[in-house]
Amino acid sequence: MAKISLSEKIGYALGDAAAGGITWKVMSIAFPLFFTNVFGLTIADTATLMLLARMFDVVTDPLMGALADRTQSRWGTYRPWMIFGAVPLGLIFALLLYTPDLGITGKRIWAYSLYILMMVVYTAVNVPYGSLLGVMTDDDNQKNQFSSFRMVGAYAMGFVTLLSFPYLQRFVGGTPQHQYAVLGAFFGILATAGTLACGLLTKERIKIIRAEKFSLKPFADLFRNKPWIVLTLIGIGMNFFNGFRYAVAGYMFEYCLHGDVTVNGLIINYTVFMTFGELTCMIFGAFSPSFTKWVGNKRKAFFVALIGCLFSSIAYFFIPMDADYIFLMVAVVILTSMGIGIFSPLLWSMYADVADYATEHNGTSSTGLIFSSGTMAQKFGTAISGSLVALLLGLAGFASGTTATGETIITITNLPAVRTMIWALFSLFPAIITLIMLVLLYIYPLRK
């Protein structure tokens, strides 16, 4: 194998900086609160929107994986999807953060249509992006390094995005609707640039073994592939874990801590709060390959990281709901993020192992299809967790909607129950998911 340059690794990192650090991060953290408190959807509409749009991807992601595997062009197999999908990704993302003056029905149509379209475009870019890891190198150590660069890129850009968000809002000024619209355009441009740079800077070195004609056999083979089944369930669990925390963070600051917390001039709102975790994930994501070597294999490293997340998540529930304890909350979030930073790169590196396993056992490559399941797990886990957050908050006594004049209204019938539910969704629910992931990891058969 030719020596892989640093610029190519940075280029690969820019792909997830755009997708994971900008578009997906904002969609996971800001969208739930944006839709209910700024855009004006009801809590039921928000739950349904996030569920239906992303459940749609459970079907489109594997199809996209199969389509990507069969792509042949002058730019390669997977890279053209990023090169030509970069502009649609940024444009649709920007339109999603724009609040049109269309009335209740018009807003609902706007949100549903664009959100579903966003998921389709995200799939068309991100599934080939993940699949690139399987064709850039066949060296296991290099795969771990690429995966680590990917996670560092995602978390570094996530850190910048979330930390700058409240300051950019103040700089833009005007109504919340105006602020989100301007920031949507700004971050949409950045997402386009990062995606395009990734497609242009990376190389496909390994020629994949294609089936002679399209067949449903690769789909059937997946369900006879035990490592794929177990790893996909772990991936879904990982995104449940992150999904609960990201989706409820905005509500936690609004209703448990009574708004933004200012300490010595530093504005700590829900996006800034999560940046402490993003920075930690970035640092420990870079440390993940070395930690994996020290522990012995990916499975053991993943297991240790999950144990840390389990105990820190439980500990968070017992912190008082008081802004005076903000730095204790930050400390526990940092502890949790140490584990997330270690196991996040491992998941994608393990998908590369599963793709190699599938090629050895089936005779043809299904790299795109295998990696599409990682994106599918991401969307499935985030969809269900985001919808559950909205549903459970509604059951606890939270309601939102739009008046006939377009004004957003919030009604809370049982504030103590809503606050307790928010706190548990950020701590106890992720802890339960961690326990399930530990069981799945125990039965995962590959020991690389």
Side-chain angles (χ1 to χ4, degrees), residues 183-366:
L183 293 185
F186 173 71
F187 285 113
I189 292 171
L190 290 182
T192 293
T195 303
L196 184 60
C198 178
L200 295 175
L201 292 173
T202 52
K203 297 179 182 179
E204 299 183 21
R205 296 178 177 82
I206 299 173
K207 186 176 181 179
I208 68 174
I209 306 171
R210 292 184 174 89
E212 294 184 2
K213 59 182 180 179
F214 180 79
S215 169
L216 293 177
K217 183 178 180 297
F219 294 92
D221 288 339
L222 282 181
F223 293 94
R224 291 192 290 267
N225 185 331
K226 183 179 177 181
W228 174 81
I229 294 172
V230 176
L231 190 62
T232 297
L233 291 174
I234 291 172
I236 291 172
M238 188 176 89
N239 286 286
F240 261 105
F241 180 90
N242 289 325
F244 280 126
R245 297 169 71 249
Y246 287 145
V248 83
Y251 296 100
M252 181 172 68
F253 268 77
E254 186 71 23
Y255 301 107
C256 296
L257 303 181
H258 309 295
D260 298 353
V261 179
T262 302
V263 181
N264 296 326
L266 173 65
I267 304 171
I268 305 179
N269 75 338
Y270 70 101
T271 63
V272 175
F273 181 71
M274 298 303 286
T275 61
F276 291 101
E278 296 296 305
L279 179 61
T280 305
C281 286
M282 179 182 68
I283 294 170
F284 281 81
F287 176 63
S288 182
S290 300
F291 181 76
T292 301
K293 279 187 177 181
W294 179 69
V295 172
N297 61 48
K298 299 171 190 175
R299 181 173 169 272
K300 289 181 181 178
F302 210 133
F303 192 89
V304 173
L306 282 176
I307 291 293
C309 289
L310 172 64
F311 285 105
S312 59
S313 295
I314 294 172
Y316 193 95
F317 182 76
F318 296 98
I319 300 175
M321 291 184 209
D322 192 315
D324 290 340
Y325 293 88
I326 187 67
F327 285 114
L328 179 58
M329 298 173 201
V330 168
V332 176
V333 164
I334 288 173
L335 288 174
T336 305
S337 299
M338 290 166 62
I340 298 171
I342 290 173
F343 70 60
S344 293
L346 293 176
L347 180 74
W348 295 104
S349 183
M350 290 161 76
Y351 268 119
D353 297 336
V354 172
D356 292 342
Y357 173 90
T359 300
E360 291 171 6
H361 283 73
N362 302 325
T364 57
S365 175
S366 56

Side-chain angles (χ1 to χ4, degrees), residues 25-226:
K25 200 66 67 179
V26 174
M27 290 169 69
S28 299
I29 298 178
F31 271 25
L33 189 68
F34 167 74
F35 280 132
T36 58
N37 290 36
V38 179
F39 193 88
L41 291 183
T42 66
I43 196 78
D45 269 334
T46 302
T48 305
L49 168 64
M50 299 182 72
L51 179 62
L52 289 182
R54 294 184 187 175
M55 289 298 289
F56 178 69
D57 289 317
V58 174
V59 177
T60 60
D61 279 22
L63 292 176
M64 183 62 227
L67 178 61
D69 282 336
R70 298 183 62 78
T71 300
Q72 300 183 59
S73 76
R74 58 180 292 192
W75 299 279
T77 298
Y78 303 114
R79 292 170 55 241
W81 292 96
M82 287 173 286
I83 293 171
F84 295 103
V87 172
L89 179 75
L91 177 62
I92 297 169
F93 174 77
L95 290 174
L96 258 176
L97 284 170
Y98 175 73
T99 304
D101 186 15
L102 296 175
I104 299 172
T105 303
K107 280 185 175 182
R108 187 180 291 122
I109 294 172
W110 176 278
Y112 274 70
S113 300
L114 283 173
Y115 199 86
I116 291 173
L117 188 57
M118 180 67 192
M119 289 296 97
V120 172
V121 174
Y122 186 90
T123 295
V125 169
N126 207 244
V127 168
Y129 169 72
S131 304
L132 258 181
L133 184 60
V135 296
M136 289 191 294
T137 177
D138 61 0
D139 180 81
D140 201 49
N141 184 53
Q142 289 287 354
K143 288 178 183 177
N144 285 345
Q145 289 188 34
F146 268 118
S147 189
S148 181
F149 266 81
R150 171 184 184 165
M151 290 297 104
V152 170
Y155 287 125
M157 183 55 74
F159 172 80
V160 172
T161 301
L162 299 182
L163 181 63
S164 65
F165 211 90
Y167 297 97
L168 290 174
Q169 283 183 293
R170 288 193 175 188
F171 175 78
V172 171
T175 65
Q177 288 83 358
H178 175 69
Q179 293 169 7
Y180 276 92
V182 173
L183 293 185
F186 173 71
F187 285 113
I189 292 171
L190 290 182
T192 293
T195 303
L196 184 60
C198 178
L200 295 175
L201 292 173
T202 52
K203 297 179 182 179
E204 299 183 21
R205 296 178 177 82
I206 299 173
K207 186 176 181 179
I208 68 174
I209 306 171
R210 292 184 174 89
E212 294 184 2
K213 59 182 180 179
F214 180 79
S215 169
L216 293 177
K217 183 178 180 297
F219 294 92
D221 288 339
L222 282 181
F223 293 94
R224 291 192 290 267
N225 185 331
K226 183 179 177 181

Side-chain angles (χ1 to χ4, degrees), residues 390-409:
L391 176 63
L392 291 171
L393 288 179
L395 291 175
F398 181 94
S400 64
T402 303
T403 65
T405 59
E407 181 184 359
T408 300
I409 54 172

